[in-house]
Amino acid sequence: MKRRQLIGDVIGLGPLWRARDARFDDHPARRVPPPAAPLADAPVESPTVETVPAPVVAAIPVSPIVQAGTSAPAPAAPVPVVLAEQAAPTLPVSAKPVLSWSELEQTVARCNHCRLCETRTQTVFGRGNPQARWLIIGEAPGEQEDKQGKPFVGRAGQLLDNMLAAIGLDSNHDVYIANVLKCRPPGNRNPSADEIVACQDYLRQQIAHIRPTLILALGRFAAQTLLDSNDSIARLRGRVHRYQDVPLIVSFHPAYLLRNLPDKAKSWQDLVFARRTFRQLSGQ
Ligand code: SF4
């Protein structure tokens, strides 16, 4: 099996992400991901992202980033890159971290600040490279994450890793992946407000340590929590928000994509958009 077909099959993108009639000859999912290396040391220079002539997954055109307090644009492309005036005042990332990275990890491991400590198997701090320039933030650990102690494992994690690989990011080196909550809500229920408040300082300190160039918030819960917003994913996608001083882009949670195949095309749009934005922010 050709590598490009193998990647497409592993990603599970189906016909939406697969070339038709030779129109996706330059599709990044067909490219061999670059060797694993920290993004800061080896900026991803794949020329594939901007040149995807995909009718289904056409990239959102990117205009120069503008600071704006303007109303949200319609979700349909094209939309400008807008740095929205949204921030969660309860999670100030500008503050210096209080604990070292290892102290923070140990503190989280023995945390009992909310009721979730009573039902968890273990805490889930994060995975990836703490020096990475990309920070991926999801909602909370699920069953597999609770068992394995890592975020985004199982089918959803595999899909995320493959989606990141499709834009040239190695999930072990180029990104750090964490959740808003560090412990699994029983039955995968939605986190409660008091649990978020109890846990928020851990994520704040993680962000303060990592100081990412770009945050990718996956899923409605993570996006709404970080942006202090009640807007839907549909309204939050396609723009560059700010989480305090860090640019933030919203997309779907991989677990959602596994159940909603058509939205994989929109997810690909978001990844292309995020990649372009990252390159703009990095001056690449
Ligand atoms: S969810 Fe966060 S605040 Fe609650 S027990 Fe776990 S680490 Fe502590």
Side-chain angles (χ1 to χ4, degrees):
M1 180 182 294
K2 292 181 179 179
R3 180 173 180 79
R4 64 189 183 193
Q5 182 180 350
L6 177 62
I7 292 175
D9 288 345
V10 171
I11 292 175
L13 298 177
L16 289 179
W17 284 39
R18 189 165 297 162
R20 296 173 186 151
D21 303 322
R23 299 178 72 177
F24 290 152
D25 286 342
D26 204 25
H27 196 295
R30 294 179 163 182
R31 296 285 180 111
V32 178
L39 200 59
D41 296 330
V44 179
E45 282 294 348
S46 168
T48 59
V49 173
E50 283 79 7
T51 57
V52 178
V56 180
V57 296
I60 299 171
V62 176
S63 63
I65 296 175
V66 292
Q67 193 78 31
T70 56
S71 58
V79 294
V81 177
V82 175
L83 289 178
E85 294 289 354
Q86 290 176 294
T90 55
L91 296 172
V93 296
S94 55
K96 288 184 178 179
V98 176
L99 303 173
S100 71
W101 187 261
S102 60
E103 289 172 337
L104 181 61
E105 194 163 6
Q106 293 167 19
T107 301
V108 168
R110 55 177 182 265
C111 178
N112 58 1
H113 290 175
C114 80
R115 67 182 76 84
L116 296 182
C117 70
E118 300 167 4
T119 52
R120 74 188 180 211
T121 301
Q122 58 191 312
T123 55
V124 178
F125 189 71
R127 69 175 170 97
N129 178 7
Q131 275 92 47
R133 309 286 5 111
W134 291 71
L135 176 59
I136 316 294
I137 301 179
E139 175 178 331
E143 182 179 11
Q144 287 303 316
E145 287 80 7
D146 178 67
K147 286 180 179 174
Q148 299 185 36
K150 293 182 179 179
F152 287 95
V153 295
R155 291 180 62 216
Q158 186 178 36
L159 176 59
L160 174 62
D161 288 355
N162 289 326
M163 290 167 63
L164 294 173
I167 58 168
L169 298 176
D170 185 299
S171 60
N172 292 316
H173 297 88
D174 299 327
V175 304
Y176 193 78
I177 303 172
N179 284 313
V180 171
L181 287 190
K182 310 307 181 195
C183 300
R184 181 194 181 202
N188 294 345
R189 64 162 170 76
N190 288 333
S192 64
D194 62 321
E195 291 160 359
I196 295 169
V197 170
C199 209
Q200 64 184 4
D201 189 60
Y202 298 139
L203 180 61
R204 180 193 67 77
Q205 292 203 51
Q206 284 181 304
I207 296 174
H209 273 289
I210 297 169
R211 301 180 63 81
T213 299
L214 182 65
I215 293 175
L216 187 60
L218 299 181
R220 178 176 60 86
F221 176 84
Q224 291 181 343
T225 300
L226 292 170
L227 297 176
D228 195 22
S229 169
N230 291 321
D231 285 348
S232 66
I233 288 284
R235 288 191 62 81
L236 294 172
R237 291 178 56 242
R239 288 186 291 155
V240 181
H241 305 269
R242 276 198 183 278
Y243 172 69
Q244 292 289 318
D245 57 348
V246 183
L248 180 151
I249 287 176
V250 170
S251 189
F252 299 98
H253 195 287
Y256 167 85
L257 294 175
L258 291 172
R259 303 188 303 270
N260 298 273
L261 297 180
D263 280 341
K264 284 185 177 178
K266 296 177 183 174
S267 176
W268 176 243
Q269 282 185 347
D270 296 338
L271 287 175
V272 171
F273 179 50
R275 169 64 181 274
R276 282 188 173 182
T277 302
F278 179 87
R279 294 180 70 174
Q280 280 190 341
L281 294 167
S282 303
Q284 298 176 20

